[in-house]
Amino acid sequence: MNINTLIERFRQGDMRALARLISSLENEDPGASQIMEQIYSLTGRAYVVGLTGAPGAGKSSLVDRLTSLLRRRGETVGIVAVDPTSPFSGGALLGDRIRMQDHATDRGVFIRSMGTRGSLGGLAHATGEVVKAMDAFGFNWILIETVGVGQAELDIMHVADTTVVVLTPVAGDAIQTIKAGIMEIADVFVINKSDLPGAAKIAAEVEMMLDMQGERLKWRPPVVKTSATDGRGVDELLAAVEKHRLFALQNKGLAERRWARAERETLELVRHFWYQALCREKENLRPFLEAVASGEKSPYQGAREIISYLLGKCQHLV
């Protein structure tokens, strides 16, 4: 199927076209850039919520419960579930889809499981493009479940409108979980598995951490206790997300976050296109590199001359 036919079927609401389009984006097919250029004008309508936290925190179950709640309200939901890719087989278990089987036949829900394919920030490389595809398709909400992450894997903050950090009472030393890093990106904190001992303690420690930040916080992230196994607290979680959404709209925080996202994505594409140009011109750049290797020129002089050479061919960069 050619790209124009695929996009036409996508615009008509064909779920299979959405799936094929996403596969093209994931695989970085030659037509992926053309696809994004044609659907970009349709984006910006969905609200994107990211759920992140340590492995085993119950993120999949929370996504499942949130999806059920949103569907009862008549909202459509796109789900991006990221699983770790095996360093041995190159495949991913994609266990999140197993946990969401109740929604498999629901036409108002689209679930896409993705392997990280070596990405280290908690998301797959193409997550941002996949989210845009779901947004352009017309979903009201997009829920992103990151792979189990540590304190420094913060990519979700660059994709989500609201970031939910999921903690559990059984995560070990609670103090360790509230160090700088992942805790600083939360718009909402969730203490999942709150029926277990220690839930009140970790909730109190998160509140203490927030107290220490005091007036520096424009938005104080609420701390919500949930139990995804029986759905307890999920209504309160959705209410907290919607409260943050309203706050961000009223205080221009959402607009600022999306502006920063667009700026970051554009500069990342500039870097990507520039690297592609370097790769295409590799043989032509060899004289510059040889001059540096022989000591005739410094690496700095060589780099400047390569940039000048590429700028002279700038019309061929993309």
PDB file of all heavy atoms in Angstrom, residues 264-301:
ATOM      1  N   ARG A 264      12.007  21.246  21.187  1.00  0.00           N
ATOM      2  CA  ARG A 264      12.935  20.139  21.382  1.00  0.00           C
ATOM      3  C   ARG A 264      12.882  19.163  20.209  1.00  0.00           C
ATOM      4  O   ARG A 264      13.913  18.724  19.702  1.00  0.00           O
ATOM      5  CB  ARG A 264      12.595  19.418  22.688  1.00  0.00           C
ATOM      6  CG  ARG A 264      13.516  18.261  23.024  1.00  0.00           C
ATOM      7  CD  ARG A 264      13.153  17.685  24.384  1.00  0.00           C
ATOM      8  NE  ARG A 264      14.042  16.576  24.734  1.00  0.00           N
ATOM      9  CZ  ARG A 264      13.817  15.315  24.411  1.00  0.00           C
ATOM     10  NH1 ARG A 264      12.742  14.994  23.715  1.00  0.00           N
ATOM     11  NH2 ARG A 264      14.661  14.375  24.778  1.00  0.00           N
ATOM     12  N   GLU A 265      11.661  18.837  19.766  1.00  0.00           N
ATOM     13  CA  GLU A 265      11.509  17.891  18.660  1.00  0.00           C
ATOM     14  C   GLU A 265      12.127  18.440  17.379  1.00  0.00           C
ATOM     15  O   GLU A 265      12.781  17.709  16.624  1.00  0.00           O
ATOM     16  CB  GLU A 265      10.032  17.582  18.429  1.00  0.00           C
ATOM     17  CG  GLU A 265       9.416  16.732  19.534  1.00  0.00           C
ATOM     18  CD  GLU A 265       7.908  16.618  19.386  1.00  0.00           C
ATOM     19  OE1 GLU A 265       7.342  17.285  18.489  1.00  0.00           O
ATOM     20  OE2 GLU A 265       7.293  15.866  20.157  1.00  0.00           O
ATOM     21  N   THR A 266      11.927  19.732  17.135  1.00  0.00           N
ATOM     22  CA  THR A 266      12.455  20.346  15.916  1.00  0.00           C
ATOM     23  C   THR A 266      13.978  20.323  15.917  1.00  0.00           C
ATOM     24  O   THR A 266      14.616  19.970  14.913  1.00  0.00           O
ATOM     25  CB  THR A 266      11.945  21.787  15.766  1.00  0.00           C
ATOM     26  OG1 THR A 266      10.512  21.776  15.773  1.00  0.00           O
ATOM     27  CG2 THR A 266      12.426  22.399  14.458  1.00  0.00           C
ATOM     28  N   LEU A 267      14.574  20.684  17.063  1.00  0.00           N
ATOM     29  CA  LEU A 267      16.034  20.682  17.139  1.00  0.00           C
ATOM     30  C   LEU A 267      16.597  19.264  17.058  1.00  0.00           C
ATOM     31  O   LEU A 267      17.681  19.051  16.503  1.00  0.00           O
ATOM     32  CB  LEU A 267      16.489  21.366  18.429  1.00  0.00           C
ATOM     33  CG  LEU A 267      16.199  22.877  18.494  1.00  0.00           C
ATOM     34  CD1 LEU A 267      16.618  23.448  19.840  1.00  0.00           C
ATOM     35  CD2 LEU A 267      16.894  23.621  17.359  1.00  0.00           C
ATOM     36  N   GLU A 268      15.859  18.291  17.617  1.00  0.00           N
ATOM     37  CA  GLU A 268      16.282  16.890  17.490  1.00  0.00           C
ATOM     38  C   GLU A 268      16.272  16.460  16.029  1.00  0.00           C
ATOM     39  O   GLU A 268      17.151  15.723  15.576  1.00  0.00           O
ATOM     40  CB  GLU A 268      15.368  15.987  18.316  1.00  0.00           C
ATOM     41  CG  GLU A 268      15.621  16.022  19.813  1.00  0.00           C
ATOM     42  CD  GLU A 268      16.974  15.438  20.181  1.00  0.00           C
ATOM     43  OE1 GLU A 268      17.456  14.551  19.458  1.00  0.00           O
ATOM     44  OE2 GLU A 268      17.549  15.883  21.193  1.00  0.00           O
ATOM     45  N   LEU A 269      15.280  16.917  15.271  1.00  0.00           N
ATOM     46  CA  LEU A 269      15.221  16.585  13.846  1.00  0.00           C
ATOM     47  C   LEU A 269      16.363  17.253  13.081  1.00  0.00           C
ATOM     48  O   LEU A 269      16.935  16.658  12.160  1.00  0.00           O
ATOM     49  CB  LEU A 269      13.871  16.999  13.251  1.00  0.00           C
ATOM     50  CG  LEU A 269      12.697  16.082  13.584  1.00  0.00           C
ATOM     51  CD1 LEU A 269      11.389  16.702  13.125  1.00  0.00           C
ATOM     52  CD2 LEU A 269      12.880  14.708  12.931  1.00  0.00           C
ATOM     53  N   VAL A 270      16.688  18.484  13.456  1.00  0.00           N
ATOM     54  CA  VAL A 270      17.832  19.155  12.836  1.00  0.00           C
ATOM     55  C   VAL A 270      19.094  18.325  13.053  1.00  0.00           C
ATOM     56  O   VAL A 270      19.878  18.086  12.120  1.00  0.00           O
ATOM     57  CB  VAL A 270      18.013  20.576  13.418  1.00  0.00           C
ATOM     58  CG1 VAL A 270      19.334  21.174  12.947  1.00  0.00           C
ATOM     59  CG2 VAL A 270      16.849  21.479  13.003  1.00  0.00           C
ATOM     60  N   ARG A 271      19.276  17.868  14.303  1.00  0.00           N
ATOM     61  CA  ARG A 271      20.442  17.047  14.624  1.00  0.00           C
ATOM     62  C   ARG A 271      20.428  15.736  13.830  1.00  0.00           C
ATOM     63  O   ARG A 271      21.460  15.297  13.318  1.00  0.00           O
ATOM     64  CB  ARG A 271      20.449  16.748  16.124  1.00  0.00           C
ATOM     65  CG  ARG A 271      21.729  16.088  16.623  1.00  0.00           C
ATOM     66  CD  ARG A 271      21.706  15.893  18.128  1.00  0.00           C
ATOM     67  NE  ARG A 271      21.705  17.168  18.832  1.00  0.00           N
ATOM     68  CZ  ARG A 271      20.676  17.625  19.545  1.00  0.00           C
ATOM     69  NH1 ARG A 271      19.574  16.931  19.650  1.00  0.00           N
ATOM     70  NH2 ARG A 271      20.751  18.790  20.151  1.00  0.00           N
ATOM     71  N   HIS A 272      19.239  15.138  13.696  1.00  0.00           N
ATOM     72  CA  HIS A 272      19.106  13.875  12.970  1.00  0.00           C
ATOM     73  C   HIS A 272      19.419  14.064  11.484  1.00  0.00           C
ATOM     74  O   HIS A 272      20.166  13.276  10.894  1.00  0.00           O
ATOM     75  CB  HIS A 272      17.685  13.338  13.152  1.00  0.00           C
ATOM     76  CG  HIS A 272      17.405  12.067  12.408  1.00  0.00           C
ATOM     77  ND1 HIS A 272      18.051  10.880  12.696  1.00  0.00           N
ATOM     78  CD2 HIS A 272      16.562  11.796  11.378  1.00  0.00           C
ATOM     79  CE1 HIS A 272      17.609   9.937  11.891  1.00  0.00           C
ATOM     80  NE2 HIS A 272      16.715  10.465  11.075  1.00  0.00           N
ATOM     81  N   PHE A 273      18.832  15.116  10.878  1.00  0.00           N
ATOM     82  CA  PHE A 273      19.078  15.370   9.461  1.00  0.00           C
ATOM     83  C   PHE A 273      20.553  15.698   9.207  1.00  0.00           C
ATOM     84  O   PHE A 273      21.135  15.314   8.188  1.00  0.00           O
ATOM     85  CB  PHE A 273      18.195  16.514   8.955  1.00  0.00           C
ATOM     86  CG  PHE A 273      16.734  16.154   8.862  1.00  0.00           C
ATOM     87  CD1 PHE A 273      15.753  17.112   9.130  1.00  0.00           C
ATOM     88  CD2 PHE A 273      16.324  14.885   8.500  1.00  0.00           C
ATOM     89  CE1 PHE A 273      14.410  16.798   9.036  1.00  0.00           C
ATOM     90  CE2 PHE A 273      14.979  14.554   8.404  1.00  0.00           C
ATOM     91  CZ  PHE A 273      14.022  15.513   8.675  1.00  0.00           C
ATOM     92  N   TRP A 274      21.154  16.426  10.139  1.00  0.00           N
ATOM     93  CA  TRP A 274      22.568  16.785  10.001  1.00  0.00           C
ATOM     94  C   TRP A 274      23.433  15.533  10.044  1.00  0.00           C
ATOM     95  O   TRP A 274      24.368  15.375   9.258  1.00  0.00           O
ATOM     96  CB  TRP A 274      22.958  17.752  11.111  1.00  0.00           C
ATOM     97  CG  TRP A 274      24.323  18.351  10.945  1.00  0.00           C
ATOM     98  CD1 TRP A 274      25.462  17.964  11.575  1.00  0.00           C
ATOM     99  CD2 TRP A 274      24.689  19.421  10.082  1.00  0.00           C
ATOM    100  NE1 TRP A 274      26.513  18.745  11.174  1.00  0.00           N
ATOM    101  CE2 TRP A 274      26.065  19.655  10.252  1.00  0.00           C
ATOM    102  CE3 TRP A 274      23.979  20.231   9.191  1.00  0.00           C
ATOM    103  CZ2 TRP A 274      26.763  20.635   9.576  1.00  0.00           C
ATOM    104  CZ3 TRP A 274      24.662  21.217   8.498  1.00  0.00           C
ATOM    105  CH2 TRP A 274      26.032  21.408   8.689  1.00  0.00           C
ATOM    106  N   TYR A 275      23.101  14.615  10.962  1.00  0.00           N
ATOM    107  CA  TYR A 275      23.855  13.358  11.059  1.00  0.00           C
ATOM    108  C   TYR A 275      23.677  12.543   9.788  1.00  0.00           C
ATOM    109  O   TYR A 275      24.643  11.931   9.287  1.00  0.00           O
ATOM    110  CB  TYR A 275      23.373  12.563  12.268  1.00  0.00           C
ATOM    111  CG  TYR A 275      24.066  11.229  12.413  1.00  0.00           C
ATOM    112  CD1 TYR A 275      25.392  11.154  12.845  1.00  0.00           C
ATOM    113  CD2 TYR A 275      23.397  10.051  12.089  1.00  0.00           C
ATOM    114  CE1 TYR A 275      26.038   9.929  12.961  1.00  0.00           C
ATOM    115  CE2 TYR A 275      24.035   8.824  12.197  1.00  0.00           C
ATOM    116  CZ  TYR A 275      25.349   8.766  12.634  1.00  0.00           C
ATOM    117  OH  TYR A 275      25.982   7.558  12.737  1.00  0.00           O
ATOM    118  N   GLN A 276      22.460  12.516   9.229  1.00  0.00           N
ATOM    119  CA  GLN A 276      22.234  11.798   7.980  1.00  0.00           C
ATOM    120  C   GLN A 276      23.090  12.382   6.860  1.00  0.00           C
ATOM    121  O   GLN A 276      23.642  11.648   6.025  1.00  0.00           O
ATOM    122  CB  GLN A 276      20.751  11.857   7.594  1.00  0.00           C
ATOM    123  CG  GLN A 276      19.861  10.949   8.418  1.00  0.00           C
ATOM    124  CD  GLN A 276      18.431  10.979   7.921  1.00  0.00           C
ATOM    125  OE1 GLN A 276      17.894  12.031   7.542  1.00  0.00           O
ATOM    126  NE2 GLN A 276      17.786   9.820   7.919  1.00  0.00           N
ATOM    127  N   ALA A 277      23.185  13.712   6.843  1.00  0.00           N
ATOM    128  CA  ALA A 277      24.002  14.364   5.816  1.00  0.00           C
ATOM    129  C   ALA A 277      25.468  13.968   5.967  1.00  0.00           C
ATOM    130  O   ALA A 277      26.167  13.712   4.978  1.00  0.00           O
ATOM    131  CB  ALA A 277      23.842  15.884   5.918  1.00  0.00           C
ATOM    132  N   LEU A 278      25.946  13.906   7.206  1.00  0.00           N
ATOM    133  CA  LEU A 278      27.321  13.477   7.449  1.00  0.00           C
ATOM    134  C   LEU A 278      27.563  12.063   6.925  1.00  0.00           C
ATOM    135  O   LEU A 278      28.582  11.782   6.292  1.00  0.00           O
ATOM    136  CB  LEU A 278      27.618  13.522   8.945  1.00  0.00           C
ATOM    137  CG  LEU A 278      27.965  14.884   9.548  1.00  0.00           C
ATOM    138  CD1 LEU A 278      27.988  14.786  11.062  1.00  0.00           C
ATOM    139  CD2 LEU A 278      29.300  15.383   9.031  1.00  0.00           C
ATOM    140  N   CYS A 279      26.583  11.188   7.193  1.00  0.00           N
ATOM    141  CA  CYS A 279      26.722   9.796   6.743  1.00  0.00           C
ATOM    142  C   CYS A 279      26.742   9.705   5.218  1.00  0.00           C
ATOM    143  O   CYS A 279      27.537   8.944   4.642  1.00  0.00           O
ATOM    144  CB  CYS A 279      25.590   8.950   7.314  1.00  0.00           C
ATOM    145  SG  CYS A 279      25.686   8.721   9.106  1.00  0.00           S
ATOM    146  N   ARG A 280      25.872  10.496   4.575  1.00  0.00           N
ATOM    147  CA  ARG A 280      25.809  10.438   3.113  1.00  0.00           C
ATOM    148  C   ARG A 280      27.090  10.972   2.481  1.00  0.00           C
ATOM    149  O   ARG A 280      27.489  10.549   1.399  1.00  0.00           O
ATOM    150  CB  ARG A 280      24.599  11.234   2.607  1.00  0.00           C
ATOM    151  CG  ARG A 280      23.269  10.541   2.798  1.00  0.00           C
ATOM    152  CD  ARG A 280      22.205  11.178   1.923  1.00  0.00           C
ATOM    153  NE  ARG A 280      21.995  12.576   2.255  1.00  0.00           N
ATOM    154  CZ  ARG A 280      21.074  13.005   3.129  1.00  0.00           C
ATOM    155  NH1 ARG A 280      20.309  12.134   3.769  1.00  0.00           N
ATOM    156  NH2 ARG A 280      20.928  14.289   3.377  1.00  0.00           N
ATOM    157  N   GLU A 281      27.723  11.928   3.138  1.00  0.00           N
ATOM    158  CA  GLU A 281      28.904  12.577   2.573  1.00  0.00           C
ATOM    159  C   GLU A 281      30.209  11.995   3.122  1.00  0.00           C
ATOM    160  O   GLU A 281      31.266  12.601   2.970  1.00  0.00           O
ATOM    161  CB  GLU A 281      28.851  14.081   2.870  1.00  0.00           C
ATOM    162  CG  GLU A 281      27.706  14.817   2.198  1.00  0.00           C
ATOM    163  CD  GLU A 281      27.903  14.897   0.690  1.00  0.00           C
ATOM    164  OE1 GLU A 281      29.067  14.988   0.244  1.00  0.00           O
ATOM    165  OE2 GLU A 281      26.892  14.853  -0.046  1.00  0.00           O
ATOM    166  N   LYS A 282      30.119  10.839   3.766  1.00  0.00           N
ATOM    167  CA  LYS A 282      31.278  10.293   4.473  1.00  0.00           C
ATOM    168  C   LYS A 282      32.512  10.181   3.584  1.00  0.00           C
ATOM    169  O   LYS A 282      33.623  10.578   3.972  1.00  0.00           O
ATOM    170  CB  LYS A 282      30.920   8.920   5.049  1.00  0.00           C
ATOM    171  CG  LYS A 282      31.998   8.362   5.970  1.00  0.00           C
ATOM    172  CD  LYS A 282      31.528   7.068   6.634  1.00  0.00           C
ATOM    173  CE  LYS A 282      32.594   6.530   7.562  1.00  0.00           C
ATOM    174  NZ  LYS A 282      32.147   5.275   8.225  1.00  0.00           N
ATOM    175  N   GLU A 283      32.351   9.675   2.377  1.00  0.00           N
ATOM    176  CA  GLU A 283      33.497   9.514   1.487  1.00  0.00           C
ATOM    177  C   GLU A 283      34.086  10.858   1.068  1.00  0.00           C
ATOM    178  O   GLU A 283      35.305  11.021   0.980  1.00  0.00           O
ATOM    179  CB  GLU A 283      33.092   8.706   0.248  1.00  0.00           C
ATOM    180  CG  GLU A 283      32.872   7.219   0.529  1.00  0.00           C
ATOM    181  CD  GLU A 283      34.111   6.565   1.144  1.00  0.00           C
ATOM    182  OE1 GLU A 283      35.220   6.813   0.632  1.00  0.00           O
ATOM    183  OE2 GLU A 283      33.970   5.838   2.144  1.00  0.00           O
ATOM    184  N   ASN A 284      33.202  11.832   0.836  1.00  0.00           N
ATOM    185  CA  ASN A 284      33.676  13.157   0.428  1.00  0.00           C
ATOM    186  C   ASN A 284      34.363  13.909   1.569  1.00  0.00           C
ATOM    187  O   ASN A 284      35.106  14.862   1.328  1.00  0.00           O
ATOM    188  CB  ASN A 284      32.514  13.997  -0.102  1.00  0.00           C
ATOM    189  CG  ASN A 284      31.948  13.434  -1.400  1.00  0.00           C
ATOM    190  OD1 ASN A 284      32.675  12.838  -2.190  1.00  0.00           O
ATOM    191  ND2 ASN A 284      30.655  13.621  -1.616  1.00  0.00           N
ATOM    192  N   LEU A 285      34.085  13.478   2.805  1.00  0.00           N
ATOM    193  CA  LEU A 285      34.690  14.138   3.966  1.00  0.00           C
ATOM    194  C   LEU A 285      36.057  13.542   4.324  1.00  0.00           C
ATOM    195  O   LEU A 285      36.762  14.082   5.171  1.00  0.00           O
ATOM    196  CB  LEU A 285      33.758  14.015   5.183  1.00  0.00           C
ATOM    197  CG  LEU A 285      32.374  14.653   5.048  1.00  0.00           C
ATOM    198  CD1 LEU A 285      31.566  14.430   6.323  1.00  0.00           C
ATOM    199  CD2 LEU A 285      32.479  16.149   4.745  1.00  0.00           C
ATOM    200  N   ARG A 286      36.426  12.460   3.669  1.00  0.00           N
ATOM    201  CA  ARG A 286      37.661  11.766   4.018  1.00  0.00           C
ATOM    202  C   ARG A 286      38.903  12.659   3.942  1.00  0.00           C
ATOM    203  O   ARG A 286      39.772  12.586   4.822  1.00  0.00           O
ATOM    204  CB  ARG A 286      37.831  10.529   3.134  1.00  0.00           C
ATOM    205  CG  ARG A 286      38.936   9.592   3.617  1.00  0.00           C
ATOM    206  CD  ARG A 286      38.837   8.245   2.935  1.00  0.00           C
ATOM    207  NE  ARG A 286      37.577   7.578   3.245  1.00  0.00           N
ATOM    208  CZ  ARG A 286      37.343   6.927   4.373  1.00  0.00           C
ATOM    209  NH1 ARG A 286      38.287   6.880   5.306  1.00  0.00           N
ATOM    210  NH2 ARG A 286      36.199   6.319   4.577  1.00  0.00           N
ATOM    211  N   PRO A 287      39.046  13.535   2.925  1.00  0.00           N
ATOM    212  CA  PRO A 287      40.244  14.399   2.881  1.00  0.00           C
ATOM    213  C   PRO A 287      40.387  15.280   4.114  1.00  0.00           C
ATOM    214  O   PRO A 287      41.507  15.506   4.606  1.00  0.00           O
ATOM    215  CB  PRO A 287      40.024  15.243   1.614  1.00  0.00           C
ATOM    216  CG  PRO A 287      39.148  14.385   0.755  1.00  0.00           C
ATOM    217  CD  PRO A 287      38.223  13.685   1.708  1.00  0.00           C
ATOM    218  N   PHE A 288      39.254  15.789   4.633  1.00  0.00           N
ATOM    219  CA  PHE A 288      39.304  16.615   5.844  1.00  0.00           C
ATOM    220  C   PHE A 288      39.791  15.771   7.028  1.00  0.00           C
ATOM    221  O   PHE A 288      40.618  16.219   7.832  1.00  0.00           O
ATOM    222  CB  PHE A 288      37.916  17.187   6.158  1.00  0.00           C
ATOM    223  CG  PHE A 288      37.334  18.040   5.072  1.00  0.00           C
ATOM    224  CD1 PHE A 288      36.331  17.552   4.243  1.00  0.00           C
ATOM    225  CD2 PHE A 288      37.775  19.341   4.862  1.00  0.00           C
ATOM    226  CE1 PHE A 288      35.779  18.334   3.244  1.00  0.00           C
ATOM    227  CE2 PHE A 288      37.231  20.143   3.868  1.00  0.00           C
ATOM    228  CZ  PHE A 288      36.238  19.631   3.045  1.00  0.00           C
ATOM    229  N   LEU A 289      39.266  14.552   7.129  1.00  0.00           N
ATOM    230  CA  LEU A 289      39.616  13.671   8.239  1.00  0.00           C
ATOM    231  C   LEU A 289      41.065  13.224   8.154  1.00  0.00           C
ATOM    232  O   LEU A 289      41.764  13.122   9.181  1.00  0.00           O
ATOM    233  CB  LEU A 289      38.675  12.460   8.256  1.00  0.00           C
ATOM    234  CG  LEU A 289      37.184  12.788   8.417  1.00  0.00           C
ATOM    235  CD1 LEU A 289      36.334  11.527   8.272  1.00  0.00           C
ATOM    236  CD2 LEU A 289      36.922  13.447   9.765  1.00  0.00           C
ATOM    237  N   GLU A 290      41.533  12.965   6.947  1.00  0.00           N
ATOM    238  CA  GLU A 290      42.927  12.541   6.773  1.00  0.00           C
ATOM    239  C   GLU A 290      43.889  13.666   7.134  1.00  0.00           C
ATOM    240  O   GLU A 290      44.971  13.428   7.686  1.00  0.00           O
ATOM    241  CB  GLU A 290      43.147  12.074   5.337  1.00  0.00           C
ATOM    242  CG  GLU A 290      42.465  10.736   5.028  1.00  0.00           C
ATOM    243  CD  GLU A 290      42.591  10.332   3.570  1.00  0.00           C
ATOM    244  OE1 GLU A 290      43.032  11.178   2.752  1.00  0.00           O
ATOM    245  OE2 GLU A 290      42.234   9.182   3.233  1.00  0.00           O
ATOM    246  N   ALA A 291      43.487  14.896   6.830  1.00  0.00           N
ATOM    247  CA  ALA A 291      44.336  16.038   7.174  1.00  0.00           C
ATOM    248  C   ALA A 291      44.481  16.174   8.686  1.00  0.00           C
ATOM    249  O   ALA A 291      45.556  16.521   9.196  1.00  0.00           O
ATOM    250  CB  ALA A 291      43.749  17.320   6.580  1.00  0.00           C
ATOM    251  N   VAL A 292      43.390  15.860   9.400  1.00  0.00           N
ATOM    252  CA  VAL A 292      43.452  15.896  10.872  1.00  0.00           C
ATOM    253  C   VAL A 292      44.297  14.745  11.387  1.00  0.00           C
ATOM    254  O   VAL A 292      45.147  14.916  12.265  1.00  0.00           O
ATOM    255  CB  VAL A 292      42.024  15.838  11.467  1.00  0.00           C
ATOM    256  CG1 VAL A 292      42.086  15.680  12.985  1.00  0.00           C
ATOM    257  CG2 VAL A 292      41.242  17.093  11.096  1.00  0.00           C
ATOM    258  N   ALA A 293      44.079  13.547  10.826  1.00  0.00           N
ATOM    259  CA  ALA A 293      44.802  12.358  11.288  1.00  0.00           C
ATOM    260  C   ALA A 293      46.309  12.493  11.069  1.00  0.00           C
ATOM    261  O   ALA A 293      47.113  11.998  11.873  1.00  0.00           O
ATOM    262  CB  ALA A 293      44.276  11.119  10.563  1.00  0.00           C
ATOM    263  N   SER A 294      46.722  13.191  10.010  1.00  0.00           N
ATOM    264  CA  SER A 294      48.146  13.350   9.712  1.00  0.00           C
ATOM    265  C   SER A 294      48.787  14.478  10.507  1.00  0.00           C
ATOM    266  O   SER A 294      50.001  14.666  10.464  1.00  0.00           O
ATOM    267  CB  SER A 294      48.332  13.616   8.216  1.00  0.00           C
ATOM    268  OG  SER A 294      47.775  14.885   7.862  1.00  0.00           O
ATOM    269  N   GLY A 295      47.983  15.228  11.224  1.00  0.00           N
ATOM    270  CA  GLY A 295      48.507  16.332  12.006  1.00  0.00           C
ATOM    271  C   GLY A 295      48.595  17.633  11.225  1.00  0.00           C
ATOM    272  O   GLY A 295      49.048  18.650  11.750  1.00  0.00           O
ATOM    273  N   GLU A 296      48.187  17.617   9.962  1.00  0.00           N
ATOM    274  CA  GLU A 296      48.239  18.826   9.127  1.00  0.00           C
ATOM    275  C   GLU A 296      47.279  19.887   9.657  1.00  0.00           C
ATOM    276  O   GLU A 296      47.554  21.089   9.587  1.00  0.00           O
ATOM    277  CB  GLU A 296      47.882  18.439   7.692  1.00  0.00           C
ATOM    278  CG  GLU A 296      47.891  19.614   6.717  1.00  0.00           C
ATOM    279  CD  GLU A 296      47.447  19.192   5.334  1.00  0.00           C
ATOM    280  OE1 GLU A 296      47.491  17.974   5.025  1.00  0.00           O
ATOM    281  OE2 GLU A 296      47.043  20.080   4.557  1.00  0.00           O
ATOM    282  N   LYS A 297      46.149  19.438  10.187  1.00  0.00           N
ATOM    283  CA  LYS A 297      45.150  20.359  10.737  1.00  0.00           C
ATOM    284  C   LYS A 297      44.698  19.840  12.101  1.00  0.00           C
ATOM    285  O   LYS A 297      44.784  18.642  12.393  1.00  0.00           O
ATOM    286  CB  LYS A 297      43.938  20.463   9.804  1.00  0.00           C
ATOM    287  CG  LYS A 297      44.267  21.059   8.441  1.00  0.00           C
ATOM    288  CD  LYS A 297      43.031  21.074   7.546  1.00  0.00           C
ATOM    289  CE  LYS A 297      43.380  21.656   6.172  1.00  0.00           C
ATOM    290  NZ  LYS A 297      42.208  21.636   5.247  1.00  0.00           N
ATOM    291  N   SER A 298      44.200  20.749  12.920  1.00  0.00           N
ATOM    292  CA  SER A 298      43.647  20.338  14.215  1.00  0.00           C
ATOM    293  C   SER A 298      42.221  19.821  14.011  1.00  0.00           C
ATOM    294  O   SER A 298      41.580  20.145  12.998  1.00  0.00           O
ATOM    295  CB  SER A 298      43.617  21.530  15.182  1.00  0.00           C
ATOM    296  OG  SER A 298      42.587  22.437  14.800  1.00  0.00           O
ATOM    297  N   PRO A 299      41.696  19.015  14.956  1.00  0.00           N
ATOM    298  CA  PRO A 299      40.310  18.557  14.852  1.00  0.00           C
ATOM    299  C   PRO A 299      39.312  19.714  14.767  1.00  0.00           C
ATOM    300  O   PRO A 299      38.294  19.616  14.084  1.00  0.00           O
ATOM    301  CB  PRO A 299      40.102  17.741  16.135  1.00  0.00           C
ATOM    302  CG  PRO A 299      41.468  17.289  16.519  1.00  0.00           C
ATOM    303  CD  PRO A 299      42.384  18.414  16.114  1.00  0.00           C
ATOM    304  N   TYR A 300      39.626  20.825  15.438  1.00  0.00           N
ATOM    305  CA  TYR A 300      38.722  21.973  15.435  1.00  0.00           C
ATOM    306  C   TYR A 300      38.660  22.599  14.043  1.00  0.00           C
ATOM    307  O   TYR A 300      37.588  22.956  13.539  1.00  0.00           O
ATOM    308  CB  TYR A 300      39.186  23.004  16.476  1.00  0.00           C
ATOM    309  CG  TYR A 300      39.267  22.424  17.862  1.00  0.00           C
ATOM    310  CD1 TYR A 300      40.472  21.924  18.348  1.00  0.00           C
ATOM    311  CD2 TYR A 300      38.146  22.361  18.680  1.00  0.00           C
ATOM    312  CE1 TYR A 300      40.564  21.364  19.615  1.00  0.00           C
ATOM    313  CE2 TYR A 300      38.222  21.810  19.950  1.00  0.00           C
ATOM    314  CZ  TYR A 300      39.425  21.309  20.413  1.00  0.00           C
ATOM    315  OH  TYR A 300      39.491  20.756  21.660  1.00  0.00           O
ATOM    316  N   GLN A 301      39.829  22.755  13.429  1.00  0.00           N
ATOM    317  CA  GLN A 301      39.878  23.306  12.077  1.00  0.00           C
ATOM    318  C   GLN A 301      39.179  22.359  11.094  1.00  0.00           C
ATOM    319  O   GLN A 301      38.411  22.789  10.227  1.00  0.00           O
ATOM    320  CB  GLN A 301      41.330  23.530  11.639  1.00  0.00           C
ATOM    321  CG  GLN A 301      41.460  24.221  10.284  1.00  0.00           C
ATOM    322  CD  GLN A 301      42.913  24.450   9.897  1.00  0.00           C
ATOM    323  OE1 GLN A 301      43.832  24.081  10.640  1.00  0.00           O
ATOM    324  NE2 GLN A 301      43.133  25.038   8.732  1.00  0.00           N
TER     325      GLN A 301
END
